[in-house]
Amino acid sequence: MNVLCFGSLNIDYTYKVRHFVGKGETLSADSLSVYCGGKGLNQSIALARAGAAPFHAGAIGEDGRQLLEELGQSGVQTRYVRILHHVRTGNAIIQNDSAGDNCILLYGGANRAVTRTHVDEALAHFGEGDVIFLQNEVSMLDYMIEQAHARGLYVVLTPSPMEPDILELPLQFVDAWALNAIEAGQLLGRPSFASPEELAQAMHERFPAAAVLLTAGDAGAVYCKGDELVYQPAFPVQAVDSTAAGDTFTGFFFAARFRGLPVAQALEMAARAAALSVTRSGASASIPTWEEVQAWRPDGGSHNTAR
């Protein structure tokens, strides 16, 4: 089985602020940090650091070569990443407040310059039994889903950013959703829900053929597939930066499943990885390794767990 992430590659400009800037407000940032990011890059690195050895496909501009270095150093194969000369690398303007929460403004750049030819050339190397991870930060997403399904790949979709065009995608070909509670509520047109379990079940009713991996912050996470519904509580930590928490959760959950772990254990590893990631600054820089997650304890100590 091969794993491909065809997704976004961004340079993240993260501003530490006391509160999110409001309409008409000018706010001085306490600091600025520049990181490698993008949901695609984050998921690839999470998969790699959890042992899944993924390939990445996507596009950058000439100004984004450090993203290739970051991927390579984490064990991600980058032969399907194109360097474009007519457009800048995608970037994100991230505000990180005193509570560790974020708000993000995206510029698509090269991520929105992916072509059908690029998709065809990358997918030509993958087929039946392989897995593809997709997000809504690149162009040609509808074509990617159709072609991946036609080739027999298992399609995992994160519908972020959650925009109206999501509903125009061939969602019947999605094999697994990896999303948060807000995205699920928007997708279903149900902004309020009683619990993560209720929302995951509603997703299952709307998309009965697909598995649902749903995160809900402090309320925990849920996996739902058919009659199976497994809940995982969140680990309480002091959050510093939550930028890549969801991508970390997704990467570690699926990497754990690829290792043969049952759903409950995969959820626990994913929750531990996400909790550890929010105690660190940055996007890809915050993603731990499999060994770090095994050794981490919520109380600040460390222990060894069965591999």
Side-chain angles (χ1 to χ4, degrees):
M1 179 191 71
N2 292 312
V3 177
L4 172 66
C5 182
F6 205 133
S8 55
L9 298 157
N10 287 338
I11 300 172
D12 288 351
Y13 299 93
T14 301
Y15 295 85
K16 188 71 176 178
V17 295
R18 294 181 297 279
H19 62 268
F20 298 146
V21 66
K23 181 179 180 180
E25 180 182 15
T26 299
L27 181 67
S28 295
D30 296 328
S31 65
L32 166 64
S33 299
V34 182
Y35 299 105
C36 297
K39 293 194 73 63
L41 179 141
N42 294 340
Q43 288 187 3
S44 278
I45 288 180
L47 286 160
R49 292 182 182 168
F55 294 84
H56 192 95
I60 58 174
E62 290 282 2
D63 58 332
R65 292 180 183 271
Q66 71 268 34
L67 302 177
L68 292 181
E69 296 175 4
E70 180 78 3
L71 287 166
Q73 290 170 1
S74 296
V76 181
Q77 297 291 324
T78 60
R79 69 190 66 169
Y80 307 119
V81 176
R82 285 187 171 182
I83 300 175
L84 307 180
H85 306 291
H86 63 285
V87 64
R88 291 185 58 184
T89 300
N91 68 66
I93 304 300
I94 302 172
Q95 296 178 63
N96 178 219
D97 71 7
S98 57
D101 292 324
N102 295 290
C103 64
I104 303 173
L105 176 66
L106 287 175
Y107 166 68
N111 296 313
R112 294 296 181 181
V114 173
T115 64
R116 286 196 174 203
T117 299
H118 187 181
V119 174
D120 291 340
E121 290 177 352
L123 291 184
H125 302 277
F126 300 86
E128 190 75 33
D130 293 337
V131 181
I132 186 169
F133 290 81
L134 302 170
Q135 318 83 33
N136 193 32
E137 291 184 348
V138 295
S139 55
M140 305 306 303
L141 184 57
D142 55 347
Y143 187 68
M144 290 182 197
I145 294 174
E146 291 173 350
Q147 293 303 305
H149 173 76
R151 293 176 179 273
L153 279 74
Y154 185 89
V155 178
V156 181
L157 177 63
T158 297
S160 178
M162 182 59 211
E163 297 173 341
D165 61 355
I166 287 285
L167 297 175
E168 299 174 7
L169 297 173
L171 301 180
Q172 70 273 21
F173 298 146
V174 173
D175 296 296
W177 292 90
L179 73 176
N180 63 34
I182 294 174
E183 292 157 355
Q186 293 173 330
L187 190 65
L188 296 168
R190 293 182 54 181
S192 63
F193 59 97
S195 67
E197 295 96 324
E198 179 187 77
L199 191 55
Q201 187 61 43
M203 280 289 298
H204 169 64
E205 292 171 1
R206 173 66 177 81
F207 305 101
V212 177
L213 179 66
L214 184 142
T215 58
D218 293 343
V222 178
Y223 175 86
C224 182
K225 173 65 174 174
D227 294 331
E228 181 181 23
L229 193 150
V230 184
Y231 172 75
Q232 170 64 45
F235 290 98
V237 293
Q238 183 62 49
V240 172
D241 185 348
S242 62
T243 303
D247 299 324
T248 299
F249 193 101
T250 297
F252 268 76
F253 174 81
F254 282 99
R257 292 291 287 152
F258 300 157
R259 287 172 177 259
L261 271 63
V263 168
Q265 291 183 29
L267 283 172
E268 181 182 355
M269 283 298 291
R272 291 165 62 85
L276 182 54
S277 77
V278 303
T279 66
R280 303 170 172 179
S281 296
S284 65
S286 72
I287 301 172
T289 64
W290 184 268
E291 291 74 21
E292 286 179 309
V293 174
Q294 286 185 309
W296 178 77
R297 291 181 65 176
D299 61 9
S302 64
H303 75 302
N304 293 319
T305 59
R307 293 181 181 274

